[in-house]
Amino acid sequence: MDYTLIIGLEVHVQLQTKTKLFCGCSTKFNPDHPNTQTCPVCLGLPGALPVLNREAFHLGMKTGLAINCEIPAFTKWDRKQYYYPDLPKAYQISQFDLPLSQNGWLEIEIDSETREKKKIGIIRAHLEEDAGKNSHDESGRKQDSKVDLNRCGTPLIEIVSEPDLRSAQEARTYLEELKLLLTYIDVSDCNMQEGSLRCDANVNLHVHQQNGETIPTPIVEIKNLNSFRGVEQAIEFEAQRQWKEWQKTGLSLKDVPKETRGWDADRGVTLEQRGKEDAADYRYFPDPDLAPVTVTDAERERVSNELCERPAERRTRFEETYQLSVYDAAVIIDQGPAVADYFETMAETCGNGKQAANWVTQDVLRELKDREIEIADFPIQPKVLAALLQKVNAAEITIKSARTVFMELLSNSEDDPGIERIQSLIEEKGLALVSDTGELDLIVQAVVDKNEKAVADFQSGKQAAVGALIGQVMRDIKGADPKVVRELLIKKMS
């Protein structure tokens, strides 16, 4: 297939504000009570005037700076005219020629083995209000359509990429990295199930001819993709569909207007919806009810200083500072900033980054999943867990004993376990490693003396025979280090 796949993404992100973009209605996700979070402003009733939500603008600036965009000194609001049942004003307040931010980029890793990275250009990131939600029930005798306007007027930032993506996997990687970044800077919860992050994919092919000519196929916009897997599958299907269509018709970009298609996840196909409007069809004009916004250098600087360390930068730092593998660093970072903070506190306190990573990625994450809780609600504080690991590093207890203490701390979580509780549990359960090598030597010798067959088996080359003897020693003397016991047994039987 002699073509190049060309992909650009338009990502709509709901900003984490308590109220809507131009009114005081709640933005709470509330599908069970439709049309209860509305007012004359978001319903577009006569005489109602919009007022800009300052926090939404602030979060929009923060997003633009995080994706390396320029923040112009002057931005304005425009009316985007179109009729749809979930848009009661028959226009959307958006931004056209003077957006909040523009000319940015986001770097993604496109090869995990070579660590090759690629910068994806971002044309613009602008603020706009969301529409409502239509629902269609065709299960009964009569088709039933409903509209819920609770979401109407919710603040969105639309992030429009350059057509720099060249595969469905690259598109997915870009979305995953973008979602992670937006979560870290705390501008959105990016909950795709609730519609807080949605994506439209613009897809076409550049077909390469033997004479060196490249023919672009008509662009298709795939609407409202709400899962990473859905984005990947839709793009893969659409590439194949366009290739087959071009082979049959030979039509190029200049022959056919842009088309909008929907993604049917159940059937795994894109379906034709409508011809795509051009900007002129929307009849943009400046909103007469909203004043433009000016941004000073001091404001840009203040918002820029609020940004935390970006996930990609933190991932690299974890690899270098704590000697983590690429995999471990990615697992920790991908869990979000709270888990990354938990790990870093542990690593700094116990002094062993790799050991801290093992416990976080295995024990802590397992317990979070089993208990269905967030790291903020985890009963064991990072410094307490680090203190437990320090006892392992100091050869005071074994890893197995540390896990016993760990589970005990969890089972009595209502006590808010502190560092002093670790030592009391070690003493109560006799988990301290035996430091009296003389006592251990006597018990090892006694076990060897009463197990002549096992000794004979070991001496005849059956290495597994030593395992049963280790168990006997461990039963006779609590807190013995299995490695030390094994070495003593082998020494006495050799």
Side-chain angles (χ1 to χ4, degrees):
M1 296 180 186
D2 195 12
Y3 64 75
T4 300
L5 180 57
I6 309 296
I7 307 164
L9 298 181
E10 300 172 11
V11 182
H12 296 80
V13 181
Q14 179 176 328
L15 295 174
Q16 205 158 246
T17 60
K18 293 181 179 179
T19 56
K20 295 183 180 181
L21 186 54
F22 299 113
C23 68
C25 292
S26 172
T27 57
K28 181 181 178 182
F29 182 68
N30 193 11
D32 296 332
H33 299 88
N35 299 305
T36 58
Q37 295 167 194
T38 61
C39 72
V41 174
C42 53
L43 292 178
L45 299 184
L49 293 175
V51 177
L52 176 62
N53 183 329
R54 180 185 294 272
E55 179 64 11
F57 192 86
H58 171 80
L59 295 179
M61 280 185 63
K62 196 172 180 181
T63 302
L65 290 167
I67 52 177
N68 306 291
C69 282
E70 303 166 2
I71 308 293
F74 181 91
T75 185
K76 67 178 177 66
W77 307 99
D78 300 280
R79 291 187 180 182
K80 181 181 181 181
Q81 319 285 329
Y82 64 95
Y83 173 77
Y84 211 59
D86 60 5
L87 193 67
K89 295 195 295 283
Y91 65 84
Q92 177 190 35
I93 301 177
S94 182
Q95 295 187 297
F96 179 45
D97 55 332
L98 295 172
L100 169 71
S101 61
Q102 59 193 7
N103 302 329
W105 52 268
L106 180 69
E107 189 172 67
I108 63 172
E109 186 172 277
I110 59 174
D111 191 317
S112 58
E113 292 186 5
T114 64
R115 310 303 303 278
E116 181 184 355
K117 293 179 170 58
K118 178 178 180 179
K119 281 186 178 179
I120 307 303
I122 293 174
I123 299 172
R124 56 193 279 147
H126 64 267
L127 282 173
E128 63 184 20
E129 60 180 348
D130 203 352
K133 180 177 176 59
N134 292 318
S135 60
H136 308 285
D137 181 8
E138 301 179 6
S139 59
R141 288 185 176 181
K142 296 189 299 182
Q143 291 187 350
D144 186 18
S145 294
K146 298 178 181 179
V147 63
D148 178 8
L149 298 177
N150 278 349
R151 203 169 66 189
C152 196
T154 297
L156 300 179
I157 188 160
E158 180 178 350
I159 302 168
V160 183
S161 84
E162 296 278 4
D164 290 342
L165 299 158
R166 293 294 175 266
S167 71
Q169 178 58 52
E170 279 190 17
R172 177 172 183 159
T173 301
Y174 168 83
L175 284 173
E176 289 174 339
E177 192 67 27
L178 181 60
K179 178 185 176 182
L180 190 62
L181 174 61
L182 297 174
T183 304
Y184 264 73
I185 65 173
D186 199 28
V187 298
S188 174
D189 62 16
C190 293
N191 188 323
M192 300 184 80
Q193 287 72 34
E194 295 182 1
S196 297
L197 189 151
R198 310 190 297 275
C199 175
D200 301 334
N202 292 282
V203 180
N204 78 324
L205 311 177
H206 284 184
V207 182
H208 308 300
Q209 302 291 285
Q210 290 184 348
N211 62 4
E213 183 185 2
T214 297
I215 300 176
T217 63
I219 296 174
V220 166
E221 182 178 14
I222 312 171
K223 297 291 288 185
N224 288 326
L225 300 165
N226 59 7
S227 73
F228 295 144
R229 183 62 183 143
V231 170
E232 199 171 18
Q233 290 177 322
I235 290 172
E236 288 172 349
F237 173 84
E238 184 59 26
Q240 294 295 317
R241 189 197 68 80
Q242 288 190 26
W243 174 243
K244 293 174 184 176
E245 187 71 15
W246 182 82
Q247 287 179 309
K248 286 191 297 185
T249 67
L251 293 175
S252 70
L253 179 62
K254 68 180 187 311
D255 302 318
V256 181
K258 188 175 180 180
E259 175 189 0
T260 295
R261 298 179 74 89
W263 170 243
D264 187 327
D266 294 330
R267 295 166 58 188
V269 298
T270 60
L271 301 172
E272 183 178 2
Q273 291 183 329
R274 58 185 169 84
K276 179 66 178 175
E277 295 88 348
D278 292 325
D281 296 319
Y282 289 120
R283 306 190 317 282
Y284 281 101
F285 68 85
D287 192 298
D289 296 329
L290 286 164
V293 180
T294 57
V295 179
T296 66
D297 292 340
E299 287 173 313
R300 282 192 211 91
E301 185 70 21
R302 177 175 56 81
V303 176
S304 181
N305 290 337
E306 292 178 12
L307 291 172
C308 65
E309 185 179 22
R310 291 168 175 80
E313 297 165 351
R314 200 171 193 185
R315 195 183 295 123
T316 300
R317 183 170 63 79
F318 278 10
E319 292 172 24
E320 296 173 351
T321 304
Y322 302 111
Q323 286 77 55
L324 299 191
S325 67
V326 173
Y327 176 80
D328 282 345
V331 168
I332 292 169
I333 292 298
D334 290 352
Q335 297 301 316
V339 171
D341 290 344
Y342 188 100
F343 157 77
E344 191 150 25
T345 300
M346 269 187 68
E348 291 176 351
T349 305
C350 77
N352 188 325
K354 180 60 179 173
Q355 187 185 42
N358 288 341
W359 277 76
V360 169
T361 58
Q362 297 170 28
D363 303 82
V364 174
L365 292 185
R366 181 193 65 242
E367 293 298 326
L368 292 179
K369 181 179 179 182
D370 291 346
R371 295 163 184 263
E372 298 182 343
I373 59 174
E374 299 295 327
I375 191 69
D377 301 316
F378 193 61
I380 306 176
Q381 294 300 308
K383 288 188 176 181
V384 175
L385 187 49
L388 180 60
L389 300 191
Q390 285 176 324
K391 291 192 175 293
V392 175
N393 295 335
E396 295 179 29
I397 58 173
T398 64
I399 286 287
K400 182 179 179 181
S401 295
R403 288 204 160 86
T404 300
V405 174
F406 177 76
M407 296 309 297
E408 283 291 326
L409 292 173
L410 287 174
S411 64
N412 296 287
S413 57
E414 67 276 2
D415 297 335
D416 189 20
I419 294 174
E420 63 281 354
R421 179 63 177 147
I422 294 173
Q423 187 58 41
S424 63
L425 281 170
I426 291 171
E427 293 171 1
E428 287 171 19
K429 297 187 172 294
L431 299 174
L433 279 170
V434 175
S435 57
D436 186 349
T437 55
E439 181 187 0
L440 180 58
D441 191 71
L442 288 174
I443 291 174
V444 169
Q445 185 61 58
V447 169
V448 169
D449 291 343
K450 67 181 181 183
N451 287 275
E452 294 180 3
K453 185 178 183 307
V455 173
D457 288 343
F458 175 79
Q459 291 174 342
S460 66
K462 295 180 180 179
Q463 295 291 317
V466 75
L469 302 185
I470 293 173
Q472 290 185 40
V473 174
M474 299 295 288
R475 283 194 296 272
D476 290 344
I477 182 166
K478 290 184 177 180
D481 187 341
K483 287 178 63 177
V484 175
V485 171
R486 181 182 180 84
E487 291 169 2
L488 284 173
L489 282 168
I490 291 173
K491 182 178 179 181
K492 289 185 179 296
M493 292 189 295
S494 298

